[in-house]
Amino acid sequence: MSAITWKDRLAGQMDPDWEAEIDQFEAQVELRKQGKLEDKVFAETRLRRGVYGQRYDNGERFDGFATRQLPFADVPTKGPETLWDAPGMTRIKVPYGGVSPQQLEVLSDLAEEYSDEILHVTTRQDYQLHFVHIEDTPDLMRRLAAVGITTREACGNSVRNVTACPLSGVCKTESFDVSPYARALMEFLLGHPDVQDFGRKFKPAFSGCEQEACGLVQLHDAGFIARVKDGKRGFKVVVGGGLGAVPHQAHVLSEFTAVEDFLVEIQAVARVFARLGEKKNRNRARIKFLIAELGIEEFKRLVVEEIKTVPPDPRHTEFLEDLPVTGGAAPRPPQRLDGGAKPPGFDVWHETNVSSQRQEGYAVVTINLPLGDLTSRQGRALADIAREYVGDNIRTSVEQNMLLRFVSEADLPALYSALDVVGLAIPGAGTIVDVTSCPGTDTCKLGIAASRGLAAELRTRLATKSASLDDAVKNMRIKISGCFNSCGQHHIADIGFYGNSRGIDGRRVPHFQVILGGQSRENAAQYGMAMGSVPSKAAPEVVDALTEGYVQGREKGETFQEWIGRLGKRNVRGIIQPFMKVPAYDAQPGFYTDWSDAREFTIGDLGIGECAGEIVSLFGIEVMKAESQVFDAQCSLEEGDYEAAEDHAYRSMLSAARALVRMEYIDVTEDPSEIVTQWKTRFFDTERFFDRFAKGKFGQYLLDWHAKPVPSGDRANAARRVEEAQLFIEASHGCEARLAAEQAALEVPAGA
Amino acid sequence: MNPIRLSVKFAAIEAPEPLDAAIPLFHRFMQQGLVEGLLIDVADYQHVPQGPGILLVGHDIDYGVDETGFVAIRKRQDGVSAADQFRDVLRMALGALQAMEADAEFRASFDPGQLRVAVMDRLHAPNTDEGAAVVESELAPVFAELFGTDAKITRTDRDDARAPVTLEIAVAGIDAEAVLAKLPPGSVPRIPYAAPQSDWDITAEELKELRDSGSDLLLIDVREQSEFDTVNLGGQLVPLGTLDLEIPELAKDAHLVVHCKAGGRGAEAVKQLRKAGFENAWNLRGGILAWIDRIDSSLPRY
Ligand code: SF4
């Protein structure tokens, strides 16, 4: 009755190139199984196709008492430290987050058959499936390819998903609809020979206007902001932005590039990046480092030169004659919502989840997906709803929500009821309740604290009191990352958090660093600053204290950011301070576990947690000094004294390094050179300072500075250095935690 | 027909309140090896309305609890027929139900006589009359064999052709033990505290036998003083951190059994002892908790 394999069943329904590539991937899976393909080579291949590793895929997991081996088959492996059988994550990139009902149905099927019935929308408008087995991935890709979706180049050192504001085409403030151009860029660059040789990933983004947040172009490797000049369409082009551990604001490459020139220009950028960008050191390989090194003026010059050498290619302008279709017609005529019965709950939902669009009589509906998650059943229901009301006009947003565009206003009550039946009519989209989070410790290998757990907790707490919240508070945004890597975009929230940990009396306690004053408007033009770490379990109280303080203390019309700015870091720190203390284990053991987890907390699943006795931590006392210095650095930064900020930041790194050295060599002096020398020989050269993922990255910050400790007095440099100091201190905490664990294991007389 | 995924869901009689309680329950399942399967992690999906609730994700099976019931999803069974997969997943699910009942803290109940079987494979079992007929013809004999011919079977997927083929079975007065007896034994013995913690484990039962037989063994408790004060088995207190100091005091040929709370520190201690040349040193698998759960429930659990 049915074909035996998806390969046969779908033959001819896929783009022939994609089909051949999937067959090739399947063959590589087979080769790897037979041991005929190297570990590293296979890892690269699979990453290029969006097939990622996931937490515990090295086969080790701390179960709350001891580190257990998960008996996955370990021959062969999928890459260094990634066991073959361990399930992983598949990232499906959808340009500018646009899907059709049919595509949504296929995604739902795949989640049900290969994953855990959950479709996850990421902060980059991608979809992710978790717990997928490597052998299932070729069929998964075929089924996607048959409906025009590729997972190609979703990961690895390639051009990542092209994002765009989810309102493009319907927005009132945009210059023009950027989606066709985003699509053209994606089609042009996908598999292009000039983008295969990058040292690191490259993320492009489009925005229809300068002032709104939706495109977040400032934090991308390349950003395109729509502009019209003398009646001609073009883009302001920015390059070298990025969040990551140390955030960079993008630089302007060109104030106006006409649409017929923009593909040539980006191709030239790609060629310069491929040629000159760092290849060996992953930690310095993003384009932002190249630009920081060359300076934007030199980079611009190189791009202009490069454009002259780019071979002519008709594809640079061909798309303009026939712009790709990116939405499809609205199935229903525009009609105002006049009177008529409204279902219960409609008004509350309407206030936050519906906005009118440029086209008269049509509205945009935001579906508030908690933490970006949606079930297969909901996906199918949504496909039905879309078919009836909006056709192909479904988008995802960087806030991990979905948008239905071109909803005839008269249909809103019926649409609301249809969504409500399947649990998709949650109000509060784009308000403080709509917390965004990266995967964190749930599935990410790098996660330190449970960002999703905290996000879920905050959602629940805020939703129950949502009705009583002040309007200004409702409009705030909370974003959470599981570690400093900022996939949750914590730098651009009013209140941001990133996971870290602290050692207290020989135990680890999950913490979140509080980041305040970031901004997502104006395409994320302002990044927030670290205010101090609080225990995970105290984070909700911190949110309460900050929002209440704001409501009581603000002046008329003052935004949260302005309020934070006016108060100054020291006063803000005063609000957070009471929550920073960790209660003793016996009094409140709950502080020693993370949200949504029953296990005693550990970091990195390295087997720490069951510690041998109490350790009076000399390190703990010493590192306090570093923490207070980095705080002083932030204050100086805020006060505009950039040289002082740089100096404090440098000193704080020295203090943290000294804290480590003192654990072994108590008599180390305060002399910077001695500290650095001692730290370098003991911790850096021995790689004891290195963690499994960042390796020597954070240690290098200290070495670089110490080599040339001359303050630049420049704001951007100072801000970066303060960030680096913060990360160096984090890394020192991490190093101490690993050493404590080793110590516990080493307390055996060797060979006795 | 060999589907890639097949699930069994028992309807809730009394759902856990709050659902949260399933998180520590699932962690205990993993820590103590109480259910079958290579288990990986607990995923909390309570934030998703009508979502999967709390999932215990495994390599070959997922277990889940939501407001409506308890589900077990069998996966990665290449080349195994639907009938055999059903037998297999039913045994695992019933085993998990028993483990839940035996759990001291988890309060919920599910009805093994109200079950829903779904075949999640759109290639081999599409939701068409033809596809459903294949599923029914393969599973009906197994249902009859296990539940008798009175069981009521209904197909419940007809409202949405995109949903997996789903059959609902109602069995009046089901005897779960009797059903279990008819199923093939599992690949993993369903014994609490079965997961090895070191190469030198002994079980609580074995320790009891040794003690009852009056064997000359030295029980060493490697926990901390405060834990010892809470509850102990009369062992000699040597916190793990001070074990190295104690090692020279111990006779190399002594019969040693070390224990901690749950077996982790004990495993560490026995490793150290073996390294130091003690050839008759053992770890109590599951620690004092295993002893309390299986030998002497009058002692306080902490
Ligand atoms: S921020 Fe950290 S924990 Fe979160 S997804 Fe990124 S790397 Fe993982």
Side-chain angles (χ1 to χ4, degrees):
Chain A
M1 53 159 215
S2 58
I4 317 293
T5 62
W6 282 113
K7 182 171 154 67
D8 297 340
R9 164 79 76 85
L10 299 175
Q13 295 178 41
M14 298 171 264
D15 172 307
D17 285 348
W18 294 4
E19 184 172 358
E21 227 188 87
I22 298 167
D23 289 346
Q24 192 196 354
F25 178 59
E26 193 169 46
Q28 282 167 327
V29 169
E30 199 39 52
L31 282 179
R32 178 66 202 131
K33 265 166 106 171
Q34 297 165 10
K36 291 181 185 150
L37 197 67
E38 245 184 88
D39 229 21
K40 284 214 172 112
V41 179
F42 183 74
E44 168 72 17
T45 316
R46 103 181 128 74
L47 285 171
R48 272 192 178 268
R49 288 167 176 82
V51 180
Y52 248 81
Q54 197 175 303
R55 205 168 178 85
Y56 313 123
D57 67 4
N58 59 352
E60 276 182 13
R61 179 180 182 277
F62 182 73
D63 76 358
F65 295 110
T67 296
R68 292 280 174 81
Q69 300 295 322
L70 301 173
F72 295 127
D74 55 355
V75 185
T77 60
K78 282 187 280 209
E81 290 193 42
T82 310
L83 300 187
W84 182 258
D85 252 1
M89 178 265 280
T90 300
R91 181 173 297 152
I92 299 162
K93 71 172 179 180
V94 183
Y96 52 81
V99 287
S100 67
Q102 187 200 15
Q103 291 173 330
L104 191 55
E105 283 168 346
V106 170
L107 286 165
S108 302
D109 289 353
L110 300 180
E112 202 165 58
E113 291 180 39
Y114 303 125
S115 175
D116 54 1
E117 295 183 37
I118 292 284
L119 275 171
H120 176 73
V121 174
T122 74
T123 53
R124 293 211 73 252
Q125 299 176 313
D126 295 308
Y127 286 88
Q128 274 179 200
L129 300 179
H130 294 100
F131 303 106
V132 176
H133 285 278
I134 184 91
E135 281 105 336
D136 290 334
T137 51
D139 279 347
L140 187 156
M141 292 172 188
R142 287 188 180 104
R143 294 168 76 177
L144 286 171
V147 289
I149 298 177
T150 175
T151 62
R152 225 166 137 196
E153 297 177 3
C155 311
N157 301 333
S158 50
V159 178
R160 297 292 185 86
N161 198 17
V162 178
T163 55
C165 1
L167 294 179
S168 49
V170 301
C171 176
K172 289 179 178 158
T173 61
E174 73 185 359
S175 303
F176 56 86
D177 182 1
V178 294
S179 0
Y181 302 91
R183 169 129 229 140
L185 177 98
M186 197 280 289
E187 283 170 3
F188 176 67
L189 290 182
L190 188 70
H192 196 288
D194 283 347
V195 303
Q196 304 306 312
D197 210 16
F198 290 173
R200 200 76 168 81
K201 60 191 170 190
F202 189 82
K203 299 179 175 178
F206 284 76
S207 190
C209 72
E210 188 118 27
Q211 59 277 27
E212 291 299 327
C214 333
L216 302 180
V217 300
Q218 285 294 338
L219 48 93
H220 284 83
D221 295 284
F224 303 88
I225 301 162
R227 275 194 176 170
V228 174
K229 200 170 128 189
D230 306 331
K232 279 181 58 81
R233 286 181 173 191
F235 298 103
K236 171 178 172 180
V237 183
V238 297
V239 286
L243 285 177
V246 178
H248 288 239
Q249 282 283 351
H251 299 274
V252 179
L253 179 70
S254 121
E255 285 292 338
F256 185 83
T257 299
V259 288
E260 54 268 29
D261 300 327
F262 99 102
L263 289 182
V264 160
E265 186 179 76
I266 195 67
Q267 191 182 348
V269 168
R271 287 159 64 112
V272 171
F273 177 45
R275 194 171 68 236
L276 300 179
E278 170 69 45
K279 295 282 162 50
K280 288 205 194 73
N281 181 353
R282 277 175 59 79
N283 291 322
R284 300 198 61 81
R286 293 285 288 271
I287 196 168
K288 61 190 178 187
F289 294 105
L290 178 65
I291 293 169
E293 194 186 307
L294 297 173
I296 183 66
E297 291 310 319
E298 172 64 7
F299 185 79
K300 270 191 204 166
R301 194 190 62 80
L302 289 169
V303 171
V304 171
E305 287 304 309
E306 192 70 30
I307 289 176
K308 296 178 194 151
T309 71
V310 172
D313 183 341
R315 294 193 302 154
H316 288 147
T317 50
E318 249 170 26
F319 72 97
L320 290 169
E321 275 132 55
D322 192 9
L323 278 179
V325 179
T326 52
R332 316 268 291 183
Q335 213 180 329
R336 297 209 141 277
L337 171 63
D338 294 320
K342 291 176 189 163
F346 177 80
D347 287 331
V348 175
W349 171 80
H350 187 273
E351 192 186 324
T352 49
N353 294 39
V354 178
S355 56
S356 59
Q357 63 185 53
R358 193 173 66 225
Q359 294 81 357
E360 190 71 20
Y362 284 115
V364 178
V365 165
T366 303
I367 297 165
N368 182 354
L369 298 179
L371 312 190
D373 290 341
L374 159 95
T375 68
S376 293
R377 225 166 57 86
Q378 288 172 331
R380 290 194 280 267
L382 195 54
D384 289 338
I385 292 171
R387 271 198 190 97
E388 179 161 1
Y389 296 106
V390 298
D392 281 351
N393 287 287
I394 317 172
R395 296 270 174 107
T396 52
S397 73
V398 295
E399 278 161 340
Q400 302 179 293
N401 288 328
M402 285 173 102
L403 277 75
L404 300 177
R405 304 135 47 100
F406 285 98
V407 178
S408 175
E409 287 176 4
D411 287 335
L412 285 167
L415 178 77
Y416 169 82
S417 300
L419 289 172
D420 197 34
V421 170
V422 286
L424 289 175
I426 307 172
T431 71
I432 190 165
V433 179
D434 197 0
V435 181
T436 27
S437 163
C438 76
T441 45
D442 281 14
T443 49
C444 174
K445 282 165 118 165
L446 307 182
I448 295 175
S451 46
R452 274 167 63 89
L454 174 59
E457 180 68 22
L458 288 175
R459 279 187 78 100
T460 318
R461 292 196 189 202
L462 292 164
T464 41
K465 54 182 174 189
S466 168
S468 62
L469 286 178
D470 187 277
D471 273 350
V473 171
K474 269 195 200 155
N475 286 332
M476 290 170 56
R477 298 291 163 91
I478 300 178
K479 291 176 190 276
I480 311 174
S481 303
C483 77
F484 48 78
N485 276 311
S486 69
C487 305
Q489 303 172 339
H490 57 256
H491 289 291
I492 55 163
D494 293 296
I495 303 180
F497 290 103
Y498 74 79
N500 58 16
S501 84
R502 294 286 181 263
I504 312 281
D505 289 345
R507 295 175 199 269
R508 300 308 299 178
V509 179
H511 274 65
F512 278 95
Q513 176 70 247
V514 184
I515 310 278
L516 296 179
Q519 166 185 347
S520 59
R521 285 176 61 86
E522 291 182 22
N523 281 301
Q526 171 90 46
Y527 295 151
M529 289 290 271
M531 293 287 176
S533 276
V534 297
S536 223
K537 291 290 167 82
E541 270 89 63
V542 170
V543 170
D544 289 346
L546 286 166
T547 50
E548 279 158 26
Y550 166 52
V551 169
Q552 279 156 22
R554 78 190 142 160
E555 283 166 4
K556 204 165 178 307
E558 200 172 36
T559 64
F560 182 77
Q561 260 181 65
E562 288 158 356
W563 175 70
I564 292 282
R566 178 165 62 81
L567 227 56
K569 292 239 150 58
R570 282 182 208 283
N571 290 327
V572 175
R573 171 92 157 196
I575 299 176
I576 296 171
Q577 196 91 44
F579 303 99
M580 293 172 69
K581 202 172 153 25
V582 180
Y585 181 79
D586 292 335
Q588 292 204 43
F591 270 74
Y592 296 75
T593 60
D594 212 335
W595 294 107
S596 289
D597 205 332
R599 294 171 290 167
E600 201 151 287
F601 182 74
T602 173
I603 54 163
D605 260 281
L606 299 172
I608 308 149
E610 206 174 53
C611 213
E614 309 262 296
I615 298 161
V616 182
S617 168
L618 177 64
F619 174 84
I621 301 164
E622 291 277 324
V623 82
M624 288 295 291
K625 210 161 126 194
E627 310 240 13
S628 85
Q629 282 162 327
V630 79
F631 184 71
D632 287 340
Q634 285 168 358
C635 291
S636 305
L637 188 63
E638 188 184 63
E639 285 148 16
D641 190 347
Y642 304 131
E643 291 203 7
E646 291 178 277
D647 190 55
H648 284 308
Y650 172 49
R651 296 203 175 275
S652 72
M653 296 212 288
L654 287 173
S655 298
R658 184 161 184 272
L660 285 174
V661 174
R662 294 250 307 170
M663 295 198 300
E664 303 188 337
Y665 173 46
I666 193 118
D667 295 326
V668 61
T669 66
E670 302 260 357
D671 172 44
S673 295
E674 182 178 357
I675 295 171
V676 175
T677 314
Q678 287 291 344
W679 169 83
K680 185 166 177 295
T681 25
R682 288 166 190 275
F683 294 96
F684 191 81
D685 295 346
T686 54
E687 302 197 354
R688 288 198 295 162
F689 191 79
F690 291 25
D691 75 43
R692 268 157 71 202
F693 303 102
K695 303 276 189 269
K697 173 174 176 176
F698 303 130
Q700 196 62 45
Y701 292 156
L702 175 61
L703 295 178
D704 287 353
W705 276 37
H706 182 69
K708 212 175 113 200
V710 194
S712 67
D714 170 65
R715 187 184 181 284
N717 275 337
R720 197 179 66 233
R721 295 194 156 187
V722 174
E723 283 283 339
E724 290 181 353
Q726 187 75 49
L727 291 165
F728 183 87
I729 296 170
E730 294 298 345
S732 304
H733 276 287
C735 174
E736 189 260 346
R738 284 192 304 279
L739 295 180
E742 273 168 30
Q743 193 66 31
L746 272 178
E747 282 172 354
V748 193
Chain B
M1 188 244 324
N2 308 334
I4 71 162
R5 230 164 242 224
L6 187 148
S7 72
V8 169
K9 184 166 185 174
F10 301 127
I13 301 171
E14 187 199 342
E17 181 50 45
L19 211 48
D20 264 352
I23 298 176
L25 172 85
F26 283 161
H27 279 288
R28 285 192 290 278
F29 279 7
M30 271 190 282
Q31 286 155 352
Q32 301 172 15
L34 298 177
V35 295
E36 286 187 62
L38 196 179
L39 307 173
I40 301 171
D41 203 13
V42 181
D44 178 356
Y45 284 119
Q46 289 176 90
H47 55 274
V48 183
Q50 307 176 14
I54 314 277
L55 277 183
L56 171 52
V57 183
H59 179 62
D60 44 2
I61 184 163
D62 295 344
Y63 298 98
V65 172
D66 64 16
E67 278 91 7
T68 64
F70 168 71
V71 69
I73 307 161
R74 192 81 166 111
K75 47 192 191 177
R76 301 203 57 64
Q77 297 297 293
D78 262 3
V80 177
S81 71
D84 284 347
Q85 286 193 34
F86 174 71
R87 286 195 183 89
D88 214 36
V89 70
L90 186 65
R91 183 195 64 247
M92 293 175 156
L94 289 172
L97 274 196
Q98 291 186 337
M100 278 183 214
E101 268 161 34
D103 192 275
E105 282 156 52
F106 186 70
R107 289 275 148 269
S109 57
F110 304 95
D111 185 353
Q114 290 291 332
L115 57 159
R116 214 171 67 198
V117 180
V119 180
M120 285 162 289
D121 188 330
R122 286 169 183 82
L123 183 67
H124 301 104
N127 188 349
T128 55
D129 285 341
E130 219 182 323
V134 173
V135 171
E136 277 174 295
S137 70
E138 291 202 18
L139 291 180
V142 191
F143 295 158
E145 171 199 327
L146 294 172
F147 308 127
T149 42
D150 289 344
K152 206 168 144 276
I153 300 167
T154 339
R155 202 180 136 200
T156 59
D157 52 37
R158 291 182 196 272
D159 58 331
D160 188 349
R162 299 162 301 181
V165 174
T166 308
L167 303 174
E168 225 160 68
I169 305 149
V171 195
I174 191 168
D175 177 353
E177 277 300 333
V179 173
L180 262 176
K182 288 187 212 162
L183 293 167
S187 50
V188 184
R190 205 166 29 76
I191 307 167
Y193 300 100
Q197 295 176 313
S198 73
D199 289 343
W200 309 280
D201 283 358
I202 67 167
T203 64
E205 286 78 7
E206 284 167 333
L207 176 62
K208 179 162 188 332
E209 252 182 68
L210 281 171
R211 291 184 108 183
D212 289 350
S213 70
S215 152
D216 185 20
L217 65 87
L218 177 59
L219 187 64
I220 297 180
D221 187 338
V222 296
R223 297 172 305 152
E224 301 299 315
Q225 182 74 50
S226 62
E227 300 178 88
F228 187 85
D229 295 343
T230 308
V231 54
N232 68 69
L233 302 180
Q236 183 184 336
L237 179 65
V238 182
L240 183 60
T242 61
L243 186 62
D244 55 335
L245 303 176
E246 208 58 42
I247 280 177
E249 311 291 321
L250 300 169
K252 283 267 147 68
D253 56 354
H255 184 180
L256 304 176
V257 176
V258 291
H259 82 83
C260 62
K261 182 178 179 183
R265 278 172 290 178
E268 192 52 52
V270 78
K271 239 188 269 170
Q272 293 188 19
L273 288 165
R274 289 275 171 166
K275 221 174 176 174
F278 292 85
E279 294 199 344
N280 202 6
W282 305 88
N283 168 46
L284 172 59
R285 181 180 295 167
I288 196 169
L289 291 181
W291 181 272
I292 297 170
D293 288 350
R294 292 166 51 173
I295 309 292
D296 185 357
S297 59
S298 71
L299 297 176
R301 239 173 162 276
Y302 73 104

